[in-house]
Amino acid sequence: MPPKKRRQKVQTATAAAKAHSQDTTRLINQALADGNDIAQLRKLAAVRGLVNTELRAKLWPRLLAGQEGFPALPAAAAAAAAGGASPVPPAAAHSHRISSDGLNRRLSINSPVADGSNSSSSGGASAAGQSEALEQYLEWAAGTHKDSNTVKVDVERSLHSFASSLSSEEREARREELARLLNAVVVKHEAGAVHYYQGLHDVAAVLLLVAGELPAFDLLCRLATGHLRDATRPSLDPVIELLGLMQLIVREADSELANFLERQGLPPFYALSWYITWFSHDLSQFGEVCRLFDLFLATHPLMPLYVGAVAMHSQRSQLLAAEEMPMLHSKLVNLAITKRATADQLAVQAIELFKRAPPQQLIASHSLLLQQCVAPRVRLQGGVWQYPEPRTSGPGLWSQQRLQLLVQQMLRLPLPGTPAQRKKLVLASVTGVLGSIYVVAMCMLMARNGNASPLTMLYKL
C-alpha cells in the first residue's frame, strides 16, 4: 500500500475510534444522569468498553457491586450530566498509556473500603471515616499469613509488561502498594476465608494502576469473595472442576476445533491462567487488559472462558496445524489472544457465545455435577451479584444431584418397550436402588447402636 493511502487509512481509523469513544462517553454520562442506571452501565462496559482510565476508576466499583456500598453520583455531577455537560472526562483527552501523572496514588482518595460503608465525599464525618478506614487498612496490610513469602516473590517480579513506561522508582513504589494490597485482602478475611494464589497479583496490579490503592483494595476484596471465589479457596480444585466446561464452550464456538482437541486428548488446563488472571498475565498492552476487565467486571464470572474460546476460534488454523498434543498445549498456553481479533471484537463475540450457550444450559444438557465451584451458579439479583456457596456435603445432596444424574443416564439406555414402559422400568429400578440404600443405612445405624441388624438376624436363621 502506498504511504499516502496508508496514512489516510490510519487517519480514518483514528477518527472513527475517537468518534466511537466520544459517543460511548456521552452514553455513559446519560446512564449516570438517569439515576445511575447500573444495567445500562454494565451493558456499555461489556459491549463498548469504558474508554479511559478515569472512567474506569469511577465505574469499575459500580459494575461489580451495583449501588450497594458505593456513594451515588454527586448531585452536582448528575445535574451537569442532565444539562449536557460531562461529569466524566471526554475520551479524546486520555489514552491507555500509563504515567505517574495519570495515576493518583493518594491513599486518601474518596472511596469506601470493603466493609460496605457508604461515606459521603465531603464533611468532617467523611474525613474521620476515611482516616479510620486508612488505619484499619494499614493494620491489615502489616499482618502476615501463610502465603506472605509467596506474595513477596510474586510482587518482586510484577509490573514489567504493561507498566514498562514507569521509572524504576515509580515501579518500586507501585510494588510496595501492591504488596500492601494483597496482604490486606488476605489478612482482612480471618480464619483463612480467602487464600492467596499465584496470579492474583496480576489482577490486583491492574486494579491498582487504574483505581488507586484503597479503591483497588475494595474491588479485590469483592472479587476474592465473588467473581474469583473459586480461585481463593484453600486449593484450586474448584477451578479445575469448572475448567471441565471449557471443552463444551469451545464446541459451541468451533465444533471442528473441539473435536480436534478431543482427538489429541488435551485436558483444559491451558485455560487456567486465562481464568485466574483475566488474561492480565498474557497481554502486554494495558489498554487491551483494561478493555477485557471492563467486560469481566460487568458480566458473569465465567466470561473469561468464553473469551478464550472465541480467541481460539480466531486462530483455529494455527491450532489445527499442531501435530501432537504437547505442541497444541504449548500453542494454547502461549496464545496471543488479540493476534487475530481486537479486545473489543473478542468481547462482543464472547457475549454472543455466552447468550447462545450459558453455563447453566451446558451443565444441564450434559448432566454435569459441579459440586465444588461457585462460578456456574452466580446470578444477578436486584442488580447485585449473588454467589451461592456450593453444597459439598449434607443431607439430600446425593438424592438431589446424583440421583438426578442416575435417572437421566438410565433414560438414555437402549431399554426395550415403549417410552412409557421404559419410564416405568427406570422408576422401578431407582426405587429399588433407594430401597437398598435405606436397608444398608438402617443396618449401619443399628450396628452402631449395638443392636442386631436385619441382615445379621437373617443370617442366623
Side-chain angles (χ1 to χ4, degrees):
M1 180 183 297
K4 184 177 180 180
K5 287 188 175 182
R6 187 181 299 113
R7 285 195 300 270
Q8 291 176 344
K9 184 177 181 180
V10 171
Q11 291 172 354
T12 301
T14 302
K18 181 179 178 180
H20 182 271
S21 297
Q22 290 176 334
D23 188 49
T24 300
T25 304
R26 178 186 61 79
L27 293 171
I28 290 172
N29 284 322
Q30 182 178 337
L32 289 172
D34 293 340
N36 290 321
D37 187 345
I38 298 300
Q40 178 67 0
L41 288 173
R42 285 192 173 119
K43 182 178 180 180
L44 290 170
V47 177
R48 284 176 165 261
L50 293 181
V51 181
N52 58 53
T53 300
E54 286 73 15
L55 279 171
R56 292 183 171 110
K58 287 176 177 289
L59 298 181
W60 276 3
R62 288 186 173 90
L63 296 181
L64 190 59
Q67 303 286 15
E68 184 183 88
F70 289 93
L73 181 70
S86 295
V88 290
H94 303 278
S95 69
H96 293 299
R97 182 179 62 84
I98 297 178
S99 67
S100 57
D101 294 335
L103 297 172
N104 186 345
R105 295 297 114 205
R106 293 179 300 172
L107 280 173
S108 60
I109 187 169
N110 293 328
S111 174
V113 291
D115 59 3
S117 61
N118 190 358
S119 59
S120 172
S121 59
S122 63
S126 175
Q130 288 184 16
S131 177
E132 183 179 347
L134 175 58
E135 290 179 6
Q136 178 64 82
Y137 169 74
L138 293 176
E139 180 181 339
W140 285 326
T144 59
H145 52 91
K146 68 180 183 65
D147 294 314
S148 294
N149 290 333
T150 305
V151 169
K152 181 180 179 181
V153 172
D154 286 348
V155 168
E156 287 176 351
R157 61 189 181 191
S158 65
L159 298 175
H160 275 296
S161 55
F162 47 72
S164 59
S165 62
L166 295 176
S167 67
S168 298
E169 293 77 12
E170 290 171 333
R171 183 175 292 106
E172 286 306 312
R174 301 294 84 75
R175 284 174 176 167
E176 291 178 5
E177 295 171 358
L178 182 59
R180 288 198 299 262
L181 168 60
L182 291 167
N183 287 324
V185 169
V186 176
V187 173
K188 175 186 183 295
H189 298 87
E190 298 177 356
V194 167
H195 296 259
Y196 176 77
Y197 66 87
Q198 290 185 292
L200 186 62
H201 68 291
D202 291 310
V203 176
V206 177
L207 303 178
L208 175 68
L209 291 171
V210 168
E213 191 171 349
L214 277 184
F217 170 68
D218 182 274
L219 284 167
L220 194 61
C221 281
R222 291 179 182 271
L223 287 176
T225 56
H227 272 46
L228 294 173
R229 187 67 185 106
D230 290 321
T232 60
R233 301 287 188 182
S235 75
L236 287 179
D237 289 346
V239 178
I240 301 303
E241 183 182 64
L242 69 83
L243 287 181
L245 289 170
M246 191 65 206
Q247 179 67 11
L248 304 180
I249 298 172
V250 173
R251 180 168 297 282
E252 294 293 331
D254 190 326
S255 59
E256 181 183 357
L257 180 58
N259 291 334
F260 179 71
L261 297 179
E262 288 182 357
R263 289 197 301 270
Q264 293 279 16
L266 181 70
F269 301 140
Y270 58 85
L272 177 62
S273 174
W274 299 347
Y275 180 77
I276 66 175
T277 72
W278 283 6
F279 297 95
S280 57
H281 185 74
D282 304 279
L283 294 173
S284 59
Q285 296 299 316
F286 191 62
E288 294 178 341
V289 175
C290 288
R291 175 63 185 92
L292 292 181
F293 270 50
D294 293 340
L295 171 68
F296 299 150
L297 288 165
T299 57
H300 193 276
L302 288 179
M303 191 59 75
L305 300 186
Y306 287 81
V307 170
V310 296
M312 291 168 64
H313 174 67
S314 71
Q315 301 183 50
R316 63 192 313 274
S317 299
Q318 172 189 343
L319 298 176
L320 291 172
E323 297 179 355
E324 298 179 350
M325 191 267 280
M327 181 186 299
L328 178 60
H329 177 78
S330 177
K331 284 179 178 292
L332 284 168
V333 169
N334 298 290
L335 191 69
I337 66 161
T338 56
K339 182 178 180 180
R340 301 294 182 191
T342 66
D344 269 323
Q345 292 170 336
L346 291 175
V348 172
Q349 293 168 13
I351 293 170
E352 293 175 352
L353 179 60
F354 184 93
K355 290 179 179 178
R356 189 166 72 245
Q360 286 297 341
Q361 177 180 311
L362 295 176
I363 292 171
S365 61
H366 292 81
S367 304
L368 298 181
L369 288 176
L370 304 181
Q371 298 184 17
Q372 301 181 64
C373 52
V374 173
R377 302 176 176 86
V378 172
R379 63 186 183 276
L380 265 177
Q381 185 173 337
V384 179
W385 292 107
Q386 303 293 329
Y387 307 94
E389 288 290 310
R391 284 187 61 189
T392 56
S393 62
L397 180 66
W398 196 94
S399 59
Q400 290 176 4
Q401 294 181 335
R402 295 191 180 276
L403 182 59
Q404 180 183 7
L405 177 61
L406 175 64
V407 172
Q408 290 173 341
Q409 290 176 337
M410 293 181 71
L411 285 173
R412 294 193 183 109
L413 294 175
L415 300 175
T418 65
Q421 292 173 334
R422 289 196 295 271
K423 185 175 181 180
K424 289 182 179 180
L425 179 60
V426 168
L427 291 176
S429 301
V430 171
T431 301
V433 170
L434 291 177
S436 300
I437 293 174
Y438 176 78
V439 170
V440 172
M442 290 299 297
C443 291
M444 294 175 63
L445 181 63
M446 294 177 69
R448 181 181 299 175
N449 294 333
N451 299 325
S453 69
L455 290 180
T456 304
M457 293 186 292
L458 183 63
Y459 175 76
K460 289 181 178 180
L461 292 175

